[in-house]
């Protein structure tokens, strides 16, 4: 079983930047596609970003393109989400997730991933 632990969530002001981290266990981290989802109160969990095992490919939901950047450091078994120009609508619990499935598999819904962290709260005030 892969263990994922998110960190970095906090209260910030609109327009601020914030970086999230996800530390992963496991002997084959470099083989996993990694992703970030988020869930706002009263809403369904939604896809935010993903990054391929090698780090060569990334994908984002359109609402965060140009503002968020996903990256990874396989030597440190970690994945990151850099969030810039934050908006109140970015307020949510952010979850780190992982899968060994092909990059060409469905990674835009929860059933495309195998392992999940417990989430970290990001609150953006206006």
């Amino acid at each position: 079983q892969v263990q994922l632990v998110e960190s970095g969530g906090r209260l910030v002001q609109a327009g601020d930047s914030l970086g999230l981290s996800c530390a992963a266990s496991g002997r084959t981290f470099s083989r996993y596609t990694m992703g970030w989802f988020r869930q706002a109160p009263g809403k369904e969990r939604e896809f935010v970003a993903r990054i391929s095992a090698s780090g060569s490919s990334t994908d984002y939901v359109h609402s965060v393109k140009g503002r968020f950047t996903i990256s990874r450091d396989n030597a440190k078994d970690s994945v990151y989400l850099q969030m810039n120009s934050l908006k109140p609508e970015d307020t949510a619990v952010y979850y780190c997730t992982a899968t060994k499935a092909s990059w060409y598999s469905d990674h835009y819904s929860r059933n495309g991933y195998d392992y999940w962290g417990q989430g970290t709260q990001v609150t953006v005030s206006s």
Side-chain angles (χ1 to χ4, degrees):
Q1 256 266 7
V2 174
Q3 300 276 88
L4 303 173
V5 181
E6 304 95 336
S7 63
R10 63 180 178 91
L11 172 66
V12 298
Q13 300 263 66
D16 283 354
S17 295
L18 184 64
L20 305 181
S21 297
C22 175
S25 69
R27 316 99 76 203
T28 57
F29 174 79
S30 63
R31 300 181 185 179
Y32 285 80
T33 291
M34 303 294 296
W36 289 93
F37 280 65
R38 65 186 180 185
Q39 187 166 19
K43 296 186 177 181
E44 296 182 354
R45 192 171 299 187
E46 67 173 356
F47 168 81
V48 177
R50 64 172 179 164
I51 185 167
S52 62
S54 69
S56 63
S57 298
T58 59
D59 198 12
Y60 302 88
V61 66
H62 83 275
S63 62
V64 309
K65 286 181 66 176
R67 299 190 297 120
F68 290 11
T69 303
I70 188 171
S71 62
R72 67 191 297 159
D73 186 342
N74 288 346
K76 296 181 178 180
D77 289 353
S78 296
V79 62
Y80 309 98
L81 186 68
Q82 179 63 44
M83 305 181 292
N84 299 326
S85 301
L86 282 162
K87 305 174 181 180
E89 49 262 48
D90 295 318
T91 295
V93 176
Y94 283 71
Y95 296 90
C96 179
T97 187
T99 181
K100 293 186 70 174
S102 168
W103 178 253
Y104 303 99
S105 299
D106 180 11
H107 292 157
Y108 302 101
S109 62
R110 292 188 65 177
N111 66 352
Y113 296 85
D114 302 306
Y115 305 104
W116 295 86
Q118 293 189 7
T120 186
Q121 176 71 48
V122 174
T123 302
V124 185
S125 66
S126 57

